[in-house]
Amino acid sequence: MSFTYAYPRPALTVDAVVFRESGMLMEVLLIRRKNPPYSGSWALPGGFVEMDESLEEAVHRELFEETGVKDLHLRQLQAFSTPGRDPRGHTISVVFWGVLEKNQEILAGDDAKEVAWFDLNRLPKLAFDHNEIIEVAASRFIAKINPEFLP
């Protein structure tokens, strides 16, 4: 059954913040976007939640499609909902985080044209509000692992 509403409503997305230790550095996994908006910009892996999936299913699907990473334990961080965070319209993103403890091959796929690890202290300019999301994730969780890693 299909419903239509006379009032606008926001879209729902998920994003994944994936950290790993690399020697004395803490790194975060980013994708280079293939499609607009922000085509060519670096961003967190993520995307729209499909009608028949949970948030957890969506974040695991998006992470695998865009990076090849699978079987990673992810925890919900928080929702980011500031109007204007996405130029396509009001979009709420529920963000998950995890730490990759075993080496997995990363491979860009779907709407990611590249995937790479970045030093948490040397991030490129990111699409959307992803710099803010990484700052929140780092301040809440990386400090628990090892406070030296914080920028």
Side-chain angles (χ1 to χ4, degrees):
M1 183 187 300
S2 172
F3 294 97
T4 58
Y5 299 93
Y7 54 90
R9 56 199 183 281
L12 182 60
T13 62
V14 290
D15 289 303
V17 183
V18 178
F19 296 110
R20 77 168 182 184
E21 285 186 56
S22 179
M24 291 302 296
L25 301 176
M26 183 59 75
E27 296 178 322
V28 64
L29 186 63
L30 300 176
I31 60 133
R32 188 182 295 271
R33 291 178 56 82
K34 190 185 294 184
N35 301 318
Y38 301 107
S39 180
S41 294
W42 290 98
L44 292 167
F48 289 94
V49 177
E50 294 179 359
M51 292 302 291
D52 61 345
E53 66 185 353
S54 69
L55 294 171
E56 293 78 11
E57 290 167 335
V59 73
H60 284 282
R61 175 184 52 78
E62 287 287 345
L63 183 60
F64 179 72
E65 288 176 356
E66 295 182 351
T67 71
V69 171
K70 61 183 179 180
D71 302 323
L72 179 64
H73 178 69
L74 295 170
R75 294 176 183 91
Q76 195 174 117
L77 175 66
Q78 74 177 57
F80 290 80
S81 62
T82 302
R85 61 178 299 276
D86 187 329
R88 295 170 290 194
H90 187 53
T91 305
I92 296 169
S93 183
V94 178
V95 177
F96 291 78
W97 73 280
V99 178
L100 194 63
E101 295 183 7
K102 62 180 181 160
N103 196 20
Q104 279 192 42
E105 180 180 359
I106 55 173
L107 181 64
D110 196 36
D111 55 352
K113 70 178 179 182
E114 192 176 346
V115 61
W117 291 100
F118 285 85
D119 178 346
L120 193 57
N121 294 308
R122 297 173 189 242
L123 295 177
K125 183 175 182 199
L126 301 179
F128 307 103
D129 56 354
H130 291 184
N131 282 96
E132 175 190 353
I133 291 170
I134 292 170
E135 286 176 21
V136 170
S139 68
R140 291 213 190 138
F141 301 109
I142 301 305
K144 292 180 183 178
I145 296 169
N146 188 341
E148 306 178 5
F149 289 130
L150 282 176

